[in-house]
Amino acid sequence: MTTTQTRSPSVTSAIRLTVNDSEHEITLDNRTSLLDALRDHLGLTGSKKGCDHGQCGACTVLLDGRRVNACLVLAVAAQGRRITTIEGLAEGDGPEGLHPVQRAFVERDAFQCGYCTPGQICSAVGVIEEARAGWPSAVTPPGATPGHLDENEVRERMSGNLCRCGAYANIVPAVLDAAATATPGLETGSHETPVTTPSTIEPEKPAEPEENR
Ligand code: FES
Ligand code: FES
């Protein structure tokens, strides 16, 4: 007996997306993810596709100011909402126009390959706003003062964003720097990690010859 597989015909919708303050009208298969709509239909390739399963955070964008994994959101569901991608965070050209989180990532050298960086930065913008609004995380002690961000909080809140190259050590202080400088009313915990940019890294001393040991 042979089985014939039939595919249901795709159903499309004409939708209007507001991305980085610009309006776009596009017709999409209803099953298109927001990530694919941004990358493949609008040419906004800053948001990266890592796992396409909600596990890596590379695709993080802001939806009405709250972070989401764009690979898990249908584009049709984002209609009428304010979408901000990494391309929309800076407010002008040049280093001065960078968003405070972007600037902190540069100053702290908080990235290496850049694949996870757009998602890390969008996520950090969401994290700082969540903390400022007093939303607790899994590590917030019961009864803690709302609006506090420290290293533990940053690690927990950023745990959905994976980095394969080990830039985590600098990401945490970068997020705390941005939170401290750009968010009035948000109390930030101290962090002891010094700024380590390429210009401040001490060259390694050559190994001593064996006969001198
Ligand atoms: S690509 Fe969306 S979470 Fe990995
Ligand atoms: S800097 Fe994040 S994956 Fe490389």
Side-chain angles (χ1 to χ4, degrees):
M1 191 175 80
T2 54
T3 39
T4 312
Q5 284 196 332
T6 51
R7 285 184 118 189
S8 53
S10 68
V11 178
T12 60
S13 297
I15 62 170
R16 178 186 289 256
L17 292 179
T18 308
V19 187
N20 302 331
D21 295 329
S22 296
E23 299 281 323
H24 301 269
E25 284 189 6
I26 43 176
T27 299
L28 295 172
D29 185 313
N30 284 357
R31 298 164 293 189
T32 308
S33 71
L34 176 58
L35 180 61
D36 286 344
L38 292 170
R39 289 179 55 84
D40 300 340
H41 296 266
L42 301 182
L44 293 167
T45 53
S47 310
K48 299 295 185 282
K49 184 184 280 191
C51 62
D52 211 16
H53 281 79
Q55 292 170 349
C56 72
C59 63
T60 306
V61 301
L62 300 165
L63 208 50
D64 292 334
R66 287 175 59 175
R67 58 201 173 123
V68 295
N69 289 332
C71 67
L72 296 185
V73 177
L74 290 175
V76 290
Q79 184 165 218
R81 305 182 65 184
R82 185 168 44 91
I83 302 156
T84 308
T85 69
I86 188 71
E87 290 92 343
L89 284 181
E91 290 188 343
D93 294 332
E96 303 76 34
L98 291 177
H99 186 282
V101 175
Q102 291 174 309
R103 200 172 312 129
F105 267 63
V106 172
E107 287 168 0
R108 285 283 184 177
D109 195 22
F111 45 85
Q112 292 176 45
C113 76
Y115 200 82
C116 70
T117 302
Q120 299 270 10
I121 289 177
C122 285
S123 199
V125 173
V127 161
I128 292 170
E129 180 51 30
E130 288 160 19
R132 191 202 58 75
W135 294 9
S137 77
V139 298
T140 308
T145 318
H148 175 82
L149 204 56
D150 58 22
E151 286 187 17
N152 273 349
E153 288 281 356
V154 172
R155 286 202 181 92
E156 167 61 25
R157 291 175 191 263
M158 295 289 293
S159 60
N161 291 79
L162 305 183
C163 168
R164 300 160 297 172
C165 3
Y168 294 119
N170 289 355
I171 290 171
V172 174
V175 176
L176 286 171
D177 280 358
T181 56
T183 320
L186 179 63
E187 182 194 321
T188 52
S190 64
H191 49 83
E192 288 161 11
T193 319
V195 176
T196 50
T197 58
S199 58
T200 59
I201 293 173
E202 294 272 326
E204 260 184 47
K205 286 197 184 130
E208 227 177 288
E210 202 125 291
E211 60 272 17
N212 295 347
R213 287 186 193 161

